[in-house]
Every structure is written in C-alpha cells, then in structure tokens.
Amino acid sequence: MLDYKNNPDVKFMQTGLLSRLFCHEAVYYDASIAMSEAVRTMMRMDAEAAQEAAAQADAGFLWDFWYPAARSTEIRRQKLVKAMLLEVPLVLGRTSEGKVFAMRDSCPHRGIPLSYGRLDGKVVECCYHGWRFDACSGQCVEIPSLSSQDKLKVERIFAGHHPCEERDGYVWVYMNSPGTRLPEKVPAAPELTVFSDKFKITHLSCELPSHIDHGIIGLMDPAHGPFVHQSWFWRKRGSIHEKAKQFEPIANGFRMSPHSPSTNSAPYQLLKKITGEPVTTTIDFVLPNIRTEIDQSGKMWFSSRAMVTPVRRDLCRIDFVAAWNLFFLPVWIFRIFGNIFLRQDQETMIRQAEGLKHNPRLMLIDDADRPAKWYFALKANLIESRRTGAPMAHPMDGPVTLRWRS
Ligand code: FES
Ligand SMILES: [Fe+2]
C-alpha cells in the first residue's frame, strides 16, 4: 500500500509524469496515480486510513526465505505454469537448457499475466504487445513496436523475477518482498537429509483453507493425534498416555531432542523388531515453515520434511517429502497411509476454518501448545531483529522438558 503523503516516488511521479511523457525515456506510473486530481486529493486525505489498511494488509508472511512453488515434474517443455506464493502471482518455466525460472506473473508494460504469453527457448514473450524478456534475469530483450527513431533503452526494463532452484523434486523460489532488493548472497535452498546413496522417495501434498500460522501450529501440535489420527494401523484412542519430551533451541527454531519414539505406534515397533536396534527420532522445526523428522535404527533410516507453504492469507499447502532405505516399506504402501494422515488433518482444518470465520478468541495452553508459543515468538523475534538489525532473540533459554498426554 502506498503512503501517498510521504512517498517521494509518488511526488516524483506526480510532478514528473507530464515532462517525462515528452522525452525518450520509459515512464513508470502507478495505476492509482494516473487518476483525476479529485481522486488524488481524496486519497491524500485518506493517507491515515491507508496506513491503517496497510497494517491490516500485512498478511503475516515471512519474506526472504525459499518456498516450494511447484513440483519439478509440473514444469515441462515449453509450458508456462502459474503459481502463487505469499499472494505473489508467479509464472514458472524451464528453459530449453533445463534451467527453471520464476518471474512475476505480470508484464511490466501493462500488467497482463506473462503466463498468457509463450516461452521460446529462454525468452518469454508477452501475449499483448510481444515484449520479450530473458526468462532467467527478467531483462527485456525486445520491444517489437520500437522504430529506428526510438531511443528507449530496452535492456533497462526488467520483468519481476525471483531466484529459482530445483531440490528434492520441488521448484523453490526465493521470495524477497516486492519492491526490495535481494540480499547480496542468497542462502542455499533447503535440502532433505539422506543417509545412503540408494533410497526411495515420495511426495505428498494437500491444500488447507487456513492461514499459514494455523497450518503450522496444527503441524506441530502433539495433542490432536489420539483424536484426529486414530487408525487401526497407527494407534487407538485408548492408548493415550503421559509423555515427557526434551526440547532444545536451535538456530531459527527448536528441536525435540533425539529420543525413542512412542511405543504405541506400530511402524516404529516393527522397525525395532527388524533391525534389533533401538529407534531414535529427532524432530526439528525451523522458520519459516519447516518440520523435519529423522528416524534411525542401525543402518535403516527414514527422513521426512513437511512444509506449510503460504499461498494466500486464507490458503496454504502442506508439501511433504519423505525418503527412506527401509526395504520392507514400498512407496505405494507409504503413500496410502500418508494420504490417510493428510486427509485427516485436512478434514480437521476445513472444519476449523468454518469456526475461524467468526473470529473467535483462541487459547494456547501449557505444555501441549508450548511449541506453538515458541513458533509465534520466533516469528515475532525474527521480524523485530530484521527491523532493528540487532541479533535475533531466542524464546528458549536452554533445554526444557515438556509433558503432555497423547
Ligand atoms: S502488456 Fe506485455 S507487452 Fe504490453
Ligand atoms: Fe495431524
């Protein structure tokens, strides 16, 4: 949201628009600026209201992180694929050399989605006036309407674009917030930890009609298991018992320290029986949205990552990937059970969204909701440290034991 009172660019655009229309430069304008004086006056009067609206418009997203925008297998040949992350419309594609790219799905000329255009090797052509952009850098390489008299510097025009990488079968996009510069060094995209050369891998996903925060605290919530995920193959409701788990702080998150997993879960018992060795489980949560779990028993291992990907403020998606070298676990069996689990969570979140429409007051209780409290504190502390430049404070002082029944 523009601050119409104080934004120097707005003043520049207001005073400079006419003079610049007669020179050989591209004129940048904001659609809301090219309007009548009356409307502009009204908007100045409304500057305060606009600021308030801007605060409300903050959708609670964490910018400057990598997010998975699509599965690698969806980005094929000369196809342009629409995606959305943090309410930013994206167009994804793959150059003829196989490199994936992510542009903002909006032509810098007049805003039509570039996804209506076409991809030609490594250039995206807009469907409206045929401007052509290098897909990986967003740089304009051709404006077909220019005559030999025109002096416009085409190469100075850029379509919005984001760093884009492929890992673990996903197309990851680094989402810096619109209008900000990328950091000098963009961090590496996340990667699933594996422990041998040969392994099976599979991906599952499902959409939740929820804000990312509800998706995430749902993901880390230990107390819903006996009620939402009761199944003959996993656990019975009657098997609920008291648990004590140790947690420790890690950079940008927290870890459930290595421990032997719940004895009331059949798959872990099976694993222990087969290897004859104890099973240890380590579960991490790190900002912005990543839960990883590693189970090991002798040479056998299972590694998974669940992410709650923010699409819009009212929509997120669970992107789950798991890899393992357990010979007795075929991919198709895992997918059947994994999908049952995800559907149970999805069904619950759909019901929750029904209740949240009415803005109820909510509560977080100790100890079962303590991880959710840490999440909110981590998020707030990160935003604060980015604002002030001071190091990020961690909500945990050190290791702590949480107790709950599940
Ligand atoms: S709107 Fe894309 S070229 Fe004009
Ligand atoms: Fe769940």
Side-chain angles (χ1 to χ4, degrees):
M1 179 76 59
L2 277 171
D3 169 358
Y4 291 92
K5 219 188 257 165
N6 300 317
N7 188 327
D9 292 341
V10 172
K11 286 199 182 115
F12 166 75
M13 282 188 276
Q14 285 170 349
T15 52
L17 186 58
L18 274 182
S19 61
R20 300 188 103 214
L21 281 172
F22 298 101
C23 68
H24 294 298
E25 284 174 71
V27 177
Y28 293 90
Y29 72 100
D30 185 307
S32 62
I33 304 305
M35 50 181 62
S36 76
E37 186 57 36
V39 174
R40 263 186 278 150
T41 309
M42 252 166 58
M43 293 189 91
R44 270 194 295 274
M45 281 164 48
D46 271 355
E48 262 166 50
Q51 264 169 12
E52 200 172 293
Q56 276 177 7
D58 176 8
F61 297 141
L62 283 178
W63 299 91
D64 299 291
F65 282 107
W66 290 93
Y67 291 99
R71 289 287 314 284
S72 282
T73 46
E74 293 170 61
I75 316 296
R76 276 172 294 161
R77 282 176 247 116
Q78 301 287 304
K79 221 171 78 182
L80 290 172
V81 176
K82 277 173 170 291
M84 180 170 280
L85 287 173
L86 294 79
E87 296 186 350
V88 175
L90 299 168
V91 54
L92 310 174
R94 191 185 289 283
T95 66
S96 48
E97 282 156 13
K99 168 91 182 76
V100 287
F101 61 84
M103 298 169 88
R104 236 192 122 111
D105 197 12
S106 174
C107 179
H109 183 208
R110 290 249 257 290
I112 200 167
L114 286 170
S115 51
Y116 289 118
R118 62 190 191 95
L119 172 61
D120 172 12
K122 59 190 288 272
V123 168
V124 171
E125 183 183 285
C126 179
C127 70
Y128 200 168
H129 312 94
W131 291 22
R132 289 161 66 80
F133 303 93
D134 178 82
C136 293
S137 68
Q139 189 172 35
C140 187
V141 293
E142 189 188 339
I143 296 181
S145 65
L146 292 182
S147 74
S148 55
Q149 307 295 305
D150 285 316
K151 296 202 174 59
L152 179 66
K153 295 206 166 42
V154 167
E155 68 281 4
R156 288 203 190 157
I157 298 171
F158 281 83
H161 65 288
H162 291 269
C164 187
E165 294 280 343
E166 267 176 293
R167 294 261 195 300
D168 307 327
Y170 292 100
V171 176
W172 295 79
V173 180
Y174 185 83
M175 296 301 292
N176 54 314
S177 80
T180 61
R181 277 177 189 279
L182 286 172
E184 222 132 86
K185 205 171 165 291
V186 174
E191 189 157 18
L192 187 69
T193 312
V194 296
F195 298 89
S196 55
D197 296 338
K198 284 181 75 181
F199 53 85
K200 294 168 192 151
I201 186 164
T202 192
H203 304 76
L204 299 170
S205 90
C206 90
E207 289 193 332
L208 307 175
S210 321
H211 186 272
I212 169 122
D213 289 345
H214 283 295
I216 284 176
I217 67 175
L219 189 76
M220 61 177 57
D221 166 18
H224 75 290
F227 302 92
V228 173
H229 299 300
Q230 35 177 313
S231 310
W232 61 266
F233 62 88
W234 186 250
R235 53 174 303 153
K236 296 182 187 63
R237 184 168 164 168
S239 71
I240 187 166
H241 65 279
E242 189 157 326
K243 290 175 186 165
K245 296 273 156 73
Q246 195 186 313
F247 288 80
E248 58 196 274
I250 56 174
N252 270 357
F254 50 88
R255 164 171 299 164
M256 188 191 284
S257 312
H259 63 282
S260 299
S262 178
T263 47
N264 52 9
S265 300
Y268 294 119
Q269 285 177 358
L270 178 67
L271 181 56
K272 195 172 158 191
K273 241 181 221 142
I274 289 173
T275 63
E277 301 202 41
V279 185
T280 54
T281 292
T282 308
I283 300 175
D284 286 359
F285 173 80
V286 289
L287 290 178
N289 63 343
I290 300 181
R291 177 197 192 271
T292 54
E293 173 168 347
I294 293 171
D295 305 309
Q296 284 174 294
S297 176
K299 284 206 168 69
M300 304 268 177
W301 59 269
F302 177 92
S303 172
S304 72
R305 181 185 62 216
M307 281 170 296
V308 185
T309 305
V311 179
R312 300 189 311 250
R313 67 195 68 193
D314 62 345
L315 181 69
C316 56
R317 185 180 62 233
I318 295 186
D319 289 309
F320 178 86
V321 56
W324 65 88
N325 73 342
L326 315 172
F327 62 87
F328 54 88
L329 182 57
V331 167
W332 67 271
I333 296 227
F334 179 83
R335 292 185 64 84
I336 289 175
F337 292 130
N339 274 316
I340 292 174
F341 254 74
L342 281 183
R343 295 304 144 226
Q344 289 168 337
D345 281 328
Q346 186 185 39
E347 183 61 30
T348 307
M349 303 290 285
I350 289 170
R351 291 173 172 178
Q352 185 190 21
E354 194 183 311
L356 292 178
K357 271 199 291 231
H358 310 287
N359 278 323
R361 274 174 62 90
L362 306 174
M363 49 175 110
L364 296 171
I365 64 162
D366 283 328
D367 279 353
D369 294 331
R370 191 86 67 83
K373 292 183 181 178
W374 291 332
Y375 163 67
F376 285 116
L378 282 163
K379 194 174 163 183
N381 294 359
L382 176 73
I383 290 168
E384 183 61 8
S385 99
R386 283 179 174 178
R387 195 182 65 80
T388 60
M392 178 179 158
H394 201 291
M396 301 168 73
D397 303 328
V400 37
T401 301
L402 301 187
R403 287 166 213 283
W404 67 78
R405 283 168 51 80
S406 70

PDB file of all heavy atoms in Angstrom, residues 234-263:
ATOM      1  N   TRP A 234      -2.164 -47.269  13.193  1.00  0.00           N
ATOM      2  CA  TRP A 234      -1.271 -46.313  13.841  1.00  0.00           C
ATOM      3  C   TRP A 234      -1.439 -46.365  15.349  1.00  0.00           C
ATOM      4  O   TRP A 234      -0.535 -46.677  16.087  1.00  0.00           O
ATOM      5  CB  TRP A 234      -1.547 -44.914  13.277  1.00  0.00           C
ATOM      6  CG  TRP A 234      -0.580 -43.875  13.770  1.00  0.00           C
ATOM      7  CD1 TRP A 234      -0.844 -42.848  14.619  1.00  0.00           C
ATOM      8  CD2 TRP A 234       0.812 -43.768  13.450  1.00  0.00           C
ATOM      9  NE1 TRP A 234       0.297 -42.116  14.853  1.00  0.00           N
ATOM     10  CE2 TRP A 234       1.329 -42.657  14.142  1.00  0.00           C
ATOM     11  CE3 TRP A 234       1.693 -44.515  12.634  1.00  0.00           C
ATOM     12  CZ2 TRP A 234       2.659 -42.260  14.063  1.00  0.00           C
ATOM     13  CZ3 TRP A 234       3.022 -44.120  12.549  1.00  0.00           C
ATOM     14  CH2 TRP A 234       3.488 -43.004  13.246  1.00  0.00           C
ATOM     15  N   ARG A 235      -2.619 -46.106  15.836  1.00  0.00           N
ATOM     16  CA  ARG A 235      -2.810 -46.094  17.270  1.00  0.00           C
ATOM     17  C   ARG A 235      -4.296 -46.032  17.586  1.00  0.00           C
ATOM     18  O   ARG A 235      -5.100 -45.634  16.745  1.00  0.00           O
ATOM     19  CB  ARG A 235      -2.124 -44.894  17.884  1.00  0.00           C
ATOM     20  CG  ARG A 235      -2.534 -43.587  17.217  1.00  0.00           C
ATOM     21  CD  ARG A 235      -1.965 -42.420  17.937  1.00  0.00           C
ATOM     22  NE  ARG A 235      -2.404 -42.466  19.314  1.00  0.00           N
ATOM     23  CZ  ARG A 235      -1.722 -41.940  20.317  1.00  0.00           C
ATOM     24  NH1 ARG A 235      -0.581 -41.342  20.091  1.00  0.00           N
ATOM     25  NH2 ARG A 235      -2.173 -42.014  21.530  1.00  0.00           N
ATOM     26  N   LYS A 236      -4.629 -46.437  18.804  1.00  0.00           N
ATOM     27  CA  LYS A 236      -6.024 -46.368  19.221  1.00  0.00           C
ATOM     28  C   LYS A 236      -6.170 -45.223  20.203  1.00  0.00           C
ATOM     29  O   LYS A 236      -5.223 -44.849  20.883  1.00  0.00           O
ATOM     30  CB  LYS A 236      -6.421 -47.683  19.888  1.00  0.00           C
ATOM     31  CG  LYS A 236      -6.366 -48.869  18.941  1.00  0.00           C
ATOM     32  CD  LYS A 236      -6.819 -50.120  19.659  1.00  0.00           C
ATOM     33  CE  LYS A 236      -6.616 -51.356  18.818  1.00  0.00           C
ATOM     34  NZ  LYS A 236      -5.197 -51.637  18.494  1.00  0.00           N
ATOM     35  N   ARG A 237      -7.378 -44.720  20.278  1.00  0.00           N
ATOM     36  CA  ARG A 237      -7.623 -43.604  21.173  1.00  0.00           C
ATOM     37  C   ARG A 237      -7.301 -43.958  22.629  1.00  0.00           C
ATOM     38  O   ARG A 237      -6.780 -43.149  23.378  1.00  0.00           O
ATOM     39  CB  ARG A 237      -9.089 -43.197  21.049  1.00  0.00           C
ATOM     40  CG  ARG A 237      -9.446 -42.001  21.863  1.00  0.00           C
ATOM     41  CD  ARG A 237     -10.811 -41.529  21.432  1.00  0.00           C
ATOM     42  NE  ARG A 237     -11.364 -40.618  22.413  1.00  0.00           N
ATOM     43  CZ  ARG A 237     -12.425 -39.890  22.185  1.00  0.00           C
ATOM     44  NH1 ARG A 237     -13.053 -39.987  21.029  1.00  0.00           N
ATOM     45  NH2 ARG A 237     -12.880 -39.083  23.099  1.00  0.00           N
ATOM     46  N   GLY A 238      -7.560 -45.223  22.994  1.00  0.00           N
ATOM     47  CA  GLY A 238      -7.330 -45.666  24.367  1.00  0.00           C
ATOM     48  C   GLY A 238      -5.858 -45.726  24.747  1.00  0.00           C
ATOM     49  O   GLY A 238      -5.515 -45.854  25.917  1.00  0.00           O
ATOM     50  N   SER A 239      -4.977 -45.650  23.731  1.00  0.00           N
ATOM     51  CA  SER A 239      -3.550 -45.782  24.036  1.00  0.00           C
ATOM     52  C   SER A 239      -2.937 -44.464  24.513  1.00  0.00           C
ATOM     53  O   SER A 239      -1.739 -44.367  24.699  1.00  0.00           O
ATOM     54  CB  SER A 239      -2.806 -46.282  22.800  1.00  0.00           C
ATOM     55  OG  SER A 239      -2.757 -45.263  21.823  1.00  0.00           O
ATOM     56  N   ILE A 240      -3.763 -43.469  24.703  1.00  0.00           N
ATOM     57  CA  ILE A 240      -3.276 -42.170  25.167  1.00  0.00           C
ATOM     58  C   ILE A 240      -2.555 -42.331  26.510  1.00  0.00           C
ATOM     59  O   ILE A 240      -3.018 -43.052  27.388  1.00  0.00           O
ATOM     60  CB  ILE A 240      -4.463 -41.173  25.259  1.00  0.00           C
ATOM     61  CG1 ILE A 240      -3.976 -39.762  25.575  1.00  0.00           C
ATOM     62  CG2 ILE A 240      -5.506 -41.614  26.264  1.00  0.00           C
ATOM     63  CD1 ILE A 240      -5.076 -38.702  25.332  1.00  0.00           C
ATOM     64  N   HIS A 241      -1.385 -41.757  26.621  1.00  0.00           N
ATOM     65  CA  HIS A 241      -0.643 -41.839  27.886  1.00  0.00           C
ATOM     66  C   HIS A 241       0.261 -40.626  28.042  1.00  0.00           C
ATOM     67  O   HIS A 241       0.485 -39.880  27.091  1.00  0.00           O
ATOM     68  CB  HIS A 241       0.158 -43.137  27.950  1.00  0.00           C
ATOM     69  CG  HIS A 241       1.249 -43.220  26.915  1.00  0.00           C
ATOM     70  ND1 HIS A 241       1.018 -43.580  25.615  1.00  0.00           N
ATOM     71  CD2 HIS A 241       2.575 -42.952  26.999  1.00  0.00           C
ATOM     72  CE1 HIS A 241       2.158 -43.552  24.937  1.00  0.00           C
ATOM     73  NE2 HIS A 241       3.116 -43.169  25.741  1.00  0.00           N
ATOM     74  N   GLU A 242       0.785 -40.470  29.222  1.00  0.00           N
ATOM     75  CA  GLU A 242       1.594 -39.285  29.506  1.00  0.00           C
ATOM     76  C   GLU A 242       2.973 -39.421  28.871  1.00  0.00           C
ATOM     77  O   GLU A 242       3.581 -40.485  28.891  1.00  0.00           O
ATOM     78  CB  GLU A 242       1.723 -39.102  31.016  1.00  0.00           C
ATOM     79  CG  GLU A 242       2.367 -37.773  31.343  1.00  0.00           C
ATOM     80  CD  GLU A 242       2.021 -37.297  32.739  1.00  0.00           C
ATOM     81  OE1 GLU A 242       0.891 -37.567  33.202  1.00  0.00           O
ATOM     82  OE2 GLU A 242       2.885 -36.663  33.360  1.00  0.00           O
ATOM     83  N   LYS A 243       3.446 -38.306  28.299  1.00  0.00           N
ATOM     84  CA  LYS A 243       4.764 -38.309  27.660  1.00  0.00           C
ATOM     85  C   LYS A 243       5.571 -37.139  28.179  1.00  0.00           C
ATOM     86  O   LYS A 243       5.000 -36.102  28.537  1.00  0.00           O
ATOM     87  CB  LYS A 243       4.610 -38.153  26.144  1.00  0.00           C
ATOM     88  CG  LYS A 243       4.018 -39.360  25.481  1.00  0.00           C
ATOM     89  CD  LYS A 243       3.778 -39.128  24.017  1.00  0.00           C
ATOM     90  CE  LYS A 243       3.042 -40.331  23.435  1.00  0.00           C
ATOM     91  NZ  LYS A 243       2.462 -40.044  22.135  1.00  0.00           N
ATOM     92  N   ALA A 244       6.870 -37.327  28.191  1.00  0.00           N
ATOM     93  CA  ALA A 244       7.775 -36.220  28.531  1.00  0.00           C
ATOM     94  C   ALA A 244       8.825 -36.172  27.427  1.00  0.00           C
ATOM     95  O   ALA A 244       9.450 -37.185  27.127  1.00  0.00           O
ATOM     96  CB  ALA A 244       8.430 -36.474  29.876  1.00  0.00           C
ATOM     97  N   LYS A 245       8.953 -35.027  26.786  1.00  0.00           N
ATOM     98  CA  LYS A 245       9.924 -34.912  25.687  1.00  0.00           C
ATOM     99  C   LYS A 245      10.810 -33.711  25.951  1.00  0.00           C
ATOM    100  O   LYS A 245      10.338 -32.644  26.384  1.00  0.00           O
ATOM    101  CB  LYS A 245       9.191 -34.706  24.349  1.00  0.00           C
ATOM    102  CG  LYS A 245       8.311 -35.895  23.939  1.00  0.00           C
ATOM    103  CD  LYS A 245       9.088 -36.933  23.158  1.00  0.00           C
ATOM    104  CE  LYS A 245       8.483 -38.329  23.219  1.00  0.00           C
ATOM    105  NZ  LYS A 245       7.296 -38.555  22.468  1.00  0.00           N
ATOM    106  N   GLN A 246      12.095 -33.901  25.651  1.00  0.00           N
ATOM    107  CA  GLN A 246      13.009 -32.782  25.845  1.00  0.00           C
ATOM    108  C   GLN A 246      13.156 -31.980  24.554  1.00  0.00           C
ATOM    109  O   GLN A 246      13.250 -32.554  23.470  1.00  0.00           O
ATOM    110  CB  GLN A 246      14.374 -33.280  26.301  1.00  0.00           C
ATOM    111  CG  GLN A 246      15.205 -32.120  26.852  1.00  0.00           C
ATOM    112  CD  GLN A 246      16.617 -32.510  27.182  1.00  0.00           C
ATOM    113  OE1 GLN A 246      16.847 -33.531  27.816  1.00  0.00           O
ATOM    114  NE2 GLN A 246      17.558 -31.689  26.755  1.00  0.00           N
ATOM    115  N   PHE A 247      13.145 -30.674  24.688  1.00  0.00           N
ATOM    116  CA  PHE A 247      13.316 -29.773  23.546  1.00  0.00           C
ATOM    117  C   PHE A 247      14.531 -28.892  23.792  1.00  0.00           C
ATOM    118  O   PHE A 247      14.859 -28.583  24.933  1.00  0.00           O
ATOM    119  CB  PHE A 247      12.080 -28.879  23.388  1.00  0.00           C
ATOM    120  CG  PHE A 247      10.870 -29.597  22.872  1.00  0.00           C
ATOM    121  CD1 PHE A 247      10.085 -30.370  23.728  1.00  0.00           C
ATOM    122  CD2 PHE A 247      10.517 -29.527  21.528  1.00  0.00           C
ATOM    123  CE1 PHE A 247       8.962 -31.039  23.267  1.00  0.00           C
ATOM    124  CE2 PHE A 247       9.395 -30.198  21.051  1.00  0.00           C
ATOM    125  CZ  PHE A 247       8.612 -30.952  21.923  1.00  0.00           C
ATOM    126  N   GLU A 248      15.168 -28.506  22.700  1.00  0.00           N
ATOM    127  CA  GLU A 248      16.313 -27.605  22.832  1.00  0.00           C
ATOM    128  C   GLU A 248      16.247 -26.550  21.740  1.00  0.00           C
ATOM    129  O   GLU A 248      15.688 -26.802  20.660  1.00  0.00           O
ATOM    130  CB  GLU A 248      17.621 -28.398  22.743  1.00  0.00           C
ATOM    131  CG  GLU A 248      17.735 -29.179  21.437  1.00  0.00           C
ATOM    132  CD  GLU A 248      18.827 -30.253  21.491  1.00  0.00           C
ATOM    133  OE1 GLU A 248      19.972 -29.898  21.215  1.00  0.00           O
ATOM    134  OE2 GLU A 248      18.511 -31.424  21.795  1.00  0.00           O
ATOM    135  N   PRO A 249      16.824 -25.364  22.016  1.00  0.00           N
ATOM    136  CA  PRO A 249      16.798 -24.327  20.983  1.00  0.00           C
ATOM    137  C   PRO A 249      17.812 -24.631  19.887  1.00  0.00           C
ATOM    138  O   PRO A 249      18.888 -25.140  20.172  1.00  0.00           O
ATOM    139  CB  PRO A 249      17.200 -23.060  21.746  1.00  0.00           C
ATOM    140  CG  PRO A 249      17.908 -23.523  22.986  1.00  0.00           C
ATOM    141  CD  PRO A 249      17.383 -24.888  23.296  1.00  0.00           C
ATOM    142  N   ILE A 250      17.454 -24.361  18.640  1.00  0.00           N
ATOM    143  CA  ILE A 250      18.412 -24.390  17.526  1.00  0.00           C
ATOM    144  C   ILE A 250      18.216 -23.103  16.743  1.00  0.00           C
ATOM    145  O   ILE A 250      17.252 -22.379  16.999  1.00  0.00           O
ATOM    146  CB  ILE A 250      18.212 -25.629  16.598  1.00  0.00           C
ATOM    147  CG1 ILE A 250      16.761 -25.675  16.066  1.00  0.00           C
ATOM    148  CG2 ILE A 250      18.537 -26.917  17.325  1.00  0.00           C
ATOM    149  CD1 ILE A 250      16.536 -26.779  15.031  1.00  0.00           C
ATOM    150  N   ALA A 251      19.133 -22.798  15.829  1.00  0.00           N
ATOM    151  CA  ALA A 251      19.036 -21.538  15.081  1.00  0.00           C
ATOM    152  C   ALA A 251      17.675 -21.452  14.394  1.00  0.00           C
ATOM    153  O   ALA A 251      17.276 -22.397  13.692  1.00  0.00           O
ATOM    154  CB  ALA A 251      20.159 -21.449  14.057  1.00  0.00           C
ATOM    155  N   ASN A 252      16.950 -20.374  14.609  1.00  0.00           N
ATOM    156  CA  ASN A 252      15.657 -20.132  13.958  1.00  0.00           C
ATOM    157  C   ASN A 252      14.581 -21.161  14.298  1.00  0.00           C
ATOM    158  O   ASN A 252      13.594 -21.269  13.580  1.00  0.00           O
ATOM    159  CB  ASN A 252      15.806 -20.119  12.429  1.00  0.00           C
ATOM    160  CG  ASN A 252      16.104 -18.733  11.905  1.00  0.00           C
ATOM    161  OD1 ASN A 252      16.150 -17.773  12.680  1.00  0.00           O
ATOM    162  ND2 ASN A 252      16.289 -18.614  10.606  1.00  0.00           N
ATOM    163  N   GLY A 253      14.787 -21.946  15.376  1.00  0.00           N
ATOM    164  CA  GLY A 253      13.770 -22.951  15.656  1.00  0.00           C
ATOM    165  C   GLY A 253      14.046 -23.732  16.916  1.00  0.00           C
ATOM    166  O   GLY A 253      14.739 -23.280  17.822  1.00  0.00           O
ATOM    167  N   PHE A 254      13.478 -24.924  16.975  1.00  0.00           N
ATOM    168  CA  PHE A 254      13.674 -25.772  18.152  1.00  0.00           C
ATOM    169  C   PHE A 254      13.677 -27.233  17.737  1.00  0.00           C
ATOM    170  O   PHE A 254      13.177 -27.586  16.666  1.00  0.00           O
ATOM    171  CB  PHE A 254      12.608 -25.509  19.224  1.00  0.00           C
ATOM    172  CG  PHE A 254      11.196 -25.528  18.713  1.00  0.00           C
ATOM    173  CD1 PHE A 254      10.478 -26.711  18.662  1.00  0.00           C
ATOM    174  CD2 PHE A 254      10.593 -24.349  18.269  1.00  0.00           C
ATOM    175  CE1 PHE A 254       9.176 -26.726  18.192  1.00  0.00           C
ATOM    176  CE2 PHE A 254       9.288 -24.360  17.794  1.00  0.00           C
ATOM    177  CZ  PHE A 254       8.574 -25.547  17.749  1.00  0.00           C
ATOM    178  N   ARG A 255      14.289 -28.054  18.609  1.00  0.00           N
ATOM    179  CA  ARG A 255      14.439 -29.474  18.302  1.00  0.00           C
ATOM    180  C   ARG A 255      13.856 -30.309  19.418  1.00  0.00           C
ATOM    181  O   ARG A 255      14.086 -30.011  20.587  1.00  0.00           O
ATOM    182  CB  ARG A 255      15.928 -29.794  18.146  1.00  0.00           C
ATOM    183  CG  ARG A 255      16.284 -31.274  18.196  1.00  0.00           C
ATOM    184  CD  ARG A 255      17.724 -31.493  17.817  1.00  0.00           C
ATOM    185  NE  ARG A 255      17.937 -31.011  16.453  1.00  0.00           N
ATOM    186  CZ  ARG A 255      19.136 -30.769  15.916  1.00  0.00           C
ATOM    187  NH1 ARG A 255      20.224 -30.950  16.616  1.00  0.00           N
ATOM    188  NH2 ARG A 255      19.230 -30.345  14.670  1.00  0.00           N
ATOM    189  N   MET A 256      13.115 -31.340  19.035  1.00  0.00           N
ATOM    190  CA  MET A 256      12.754 -32.356  20.006  1.00  0.00           C
ATOM    191  C   MET A 256      13.956 -33.292  20.038  1.00  0.00           C
ATOM    192  O   MET A 256      14.267 -33.933  19.037  1.00  0.00           O
ATOM    193  CB  MET A 256      11.483 -33.101  19.583  1.00  0.00           C
ATOM    194  CG  MET A 256      10.954 -34.032  20.656  1.00  0.00           C
ATOM    195  SD  MET A 256       9.667 -35.125  20.055  1.00  0.00           S
ATOM    196  CE  MET A 256       8.253 -34.048  19.950  1.00  0.00           C
ATOM    197  N   SER A 257      14.681 -33.283  21.149  1.00  0.00           N
ATOM    198  CA  SER A 257      15.970 -33.973  21.214  1.00  0.00           C
ATOM    199  C   SER A 257      15.812 -35.450  20.859  1.00  0.00           C
ATOM    200  O   SER A 257      14.740 -36.024  21.070  1.00  0.00           O
ATOM    201  CB  SER A 257      16.552 -33.837  22.616  1.00  0.00           C
ATOM    202  OG  SER A 257      16.471 -32.482  23.016  1.00  0.00           O
ATOM    203  N   PRO A 258      16.891 -36.059  20.325  1.00  0.00           N
ATOM    204  CA  PRO A 258      16.806 -37.464  19.919  1.00  0.00           C
ATOM    205  C   PRO A 258      16.241 -38.313  21.050  1.00  0.00           C
ATOM    206  O   PRO A 258      16.655 -38.189  22.198  1.00  0.00           O
ATOM    207  CB  PRO A 258      18.270 -37.831  19.645  1.00  0.00           C
ATOM    208  CG  PRO A 258      18.916 -36.535  19.283  1.00  0.00           C
ATOM    209  CD  PRO A 258      18.208 -35.480  20.082  1.00  0.00           C
ATOM    210  N   HIS A 259      15.269 -39.134  20.721  1.00  0.00           N
ATOM    211  CA  HIS A 259      14.592 -39.943  21.735  1.00  0.00           C
ATOM    212  C   HIS A 259      14.036 -41.190  21.058  1.00  0.00           C
ATOM    213  O   HIS A 259      14.022 -41.278  19.831  1.00  0.00           O
ATOM    214  CB  HIS A 259      13.446 -39.158  22.370  1.00  0.00           C
ATOM    215  CG  HIS A 259      12.360 -38.803  21.388  1.00  0.00           C
ATOM    216  ND1 HIS A 259      12.495 -37.765  20.489  1.00  0.00           N
ATOM    217  CD2 HIS A 259      11.155 -39.360  21.142  1.00  0.00           C
ATOM    218  CE1 HIS A 259      11.410 -37.703  19.740  1.00  0.00           C
ATOM    219  NE2 HIS A 259      10.579 -38.655  20.102  1.00  0.00           N
ATOM    220  N   SER A 260      13.576 -42.128  21.849  1.00  0.00           N
ATOM    221  CA  SER A 260      12.907 -43.300  21.280  1.00  0.00           C
ATOM    222  C   SER A 260      11.445 -42.955  21.075  1.00  0.00           C
ATOM    223  O   SER A 260      10.796 -42.474  22.006  1.00  0.00           O
ATOM    224  CB  SER A 260      13.002 -44.491  22.235  1.00  0.00           C
ATOM    225  OG  SER A 260      14.355 -44.784  22.412  1.00  0.00           O
ATOM    226  N   PRO A 261      10.938 -43.190  19.865  1.00  0.00           N
ATOM    227  CA  PRO A 261       9.574 -42.753  19.587  1.00  0.00           C
ATOM    228  C   PRO A 261       8.530 -43.554  20.365  1.00  0.00           C
ATOM    229  O   PRO A 261       8.828 -44.621  20.910  1.00  0.00           O
ATOM    230  CB  PRO A 261       9.421 -42.968  18.089  1.00  0.00           C
ATOM    231  CG  PRO A 261      10.482 -43.930  17.713  1.00  0.00           C
ATOM    232  CD  PRO A 261      11.584 -43.791  18.698  1.00  0.00           C
ATOM    233  N   SER A 262       7.365 -43.000  20.340  1.00  0.00           N
ATOM    234  CA  SER A 262       6.222 -43.546  21.069  1.00  0.00           C
ATOM    235  C   SER A 262       6.076 -45.055  20.896  1.00  0.00           C
ATOM    236  O   SER A 262       6.133 -45.576  19.779  1.00  0.00           O
ATOM    237  CB  SER A 262       4.976 -42.853  20.531  1.00  0.00           C
ATOM    238  OG  SER A 262       3.858 -43.377  21.153  1.00  0.00           O
ATOM    239  N   THR A 263       5.897 -45.762  21.996  1.00  0.00           N
ATOM    240  CA  THR A 263       5.766 -47.221  21.910  1.00  0.00           C
ATOM    241  C   THR A 263       4.378 -47.637  21.440  1.00  0.00           C
ATOM    242  O   THR A 263       4.134 -48.796  21.173  1.00  0.00           O
ATOM    243  CB  THR A 263       6.027 -47.856  23.289  1.00  0.00           C
ATOM    244  OG1 THR A 263       5.279 -47.110  24.255  1.00  0.00           O
ATOM    245  CG2 THR A 263       7.491 -47.821  23.645  1.00  0.00           C
TER     246      THR A 263
END
